[in-house]
Amino acid sequence: MRIDVLTLFPAMFEGPMTESMLWKARDRGLLDLRLHQIRDFTTDSHRTVDDTPYGGGGGMIMKPEPVVSAAESVLGDAPPGTPVILMTPQGRVFSHQIAWELAQQPRLVFLCGRYEGVDDRVRQLVITDEISIGDYVLTGGELPAMVVIDALVRHIPGVLGAEGAAAQDSHADGVLEGPQYTRPPVFRGLSVPKVLAEGNHAAVARWRRREGLRATWRNRPDLLLKAALTEEEQYLLATFAEEDAKQRAGSKSQTT
Ligand code: ADE
């Protein structure tokens, strides 16, 4: 997959995009990541990329000419229908599902907004999708673009070691992943659950599903409204409340 990023701060990508999984994906030729400095597409001697907003108000707006030139330049040899994604707090909220969908594309273009935003004619002329990484405002679209790239690259076949590991991620089926353990078997008096060391794969799968449901019930109950649960799993949810209440009572009696 090829990804072109249009940004005023290409150096921000240097650390995150040259370490760990991202670097492996690039090194193995699975990801061709190209950074483009929007300022290189200005035509005035000051290399101006922003201007004051029409209608007044604070802050600066990214000018349309250099941004559209940069986008058209990278789209020159791209297949028709290549997504051009504006990273903006006004976009649709990013998710596991969107990461998977983007990973199916042979090419993507990301535009990182800065300042108070981008002149809307950029959106009208070249943008095909707008993505937000959450309901908060960052100083620019660079970190959000890196978040989206990191999340989607994990879905490119061959990037993750264990084939299909992304299918077991939290959010893959609307339920979070449960707790994980590694050696040692006992750490500061806390033991690894016995079932994980016993080698019964079906029992391990059942335990993982139950604890994934418990984590979802505890931290993201909103997800359970949409998750496809069996009757038995629905019943499990009720037992979590009881177990939780018992545990709280137990830890209370220990401290009093
Ligand atoms: N730019 C600033 N804040 C953002 C957000 N939450 N998501 C995407 N791009 C942004």
Side-chain angles (χ1 to χ4, degrees), residues 244-256:
D244 197 56
K246 263 190 219 155
Q247 211 172 4
R248 278 169 204 271
S251 59
K252 225 183 196 172
S253 66
Q254 265 176 15
T255 55
T256 51

Side-chain angles (χ1 to χ4, degrees), residues 87-89 131-134 136-138 140-141 144:
M87 299 311 302
T88 165
I131 293 180
S132 162
I133 60 160
Y136 41 83
V137 180
L138 299 165

Side-chain angles (χ1 to χ4, degrees), residues 3-7 83-87 102 108-112 131 144-145 148-149 152:
I3 298 181
D4 292 277
V5 180
L6 313 178
T7 170
V84 182
I85 303 161
L86 174 64
M87 299 311 302
L102 295 178
L108 294 172
V109 179
F110 286 93
L111 168 58
C112 306
I131 293 180
V148 171
I149 293 168
L152 75 88

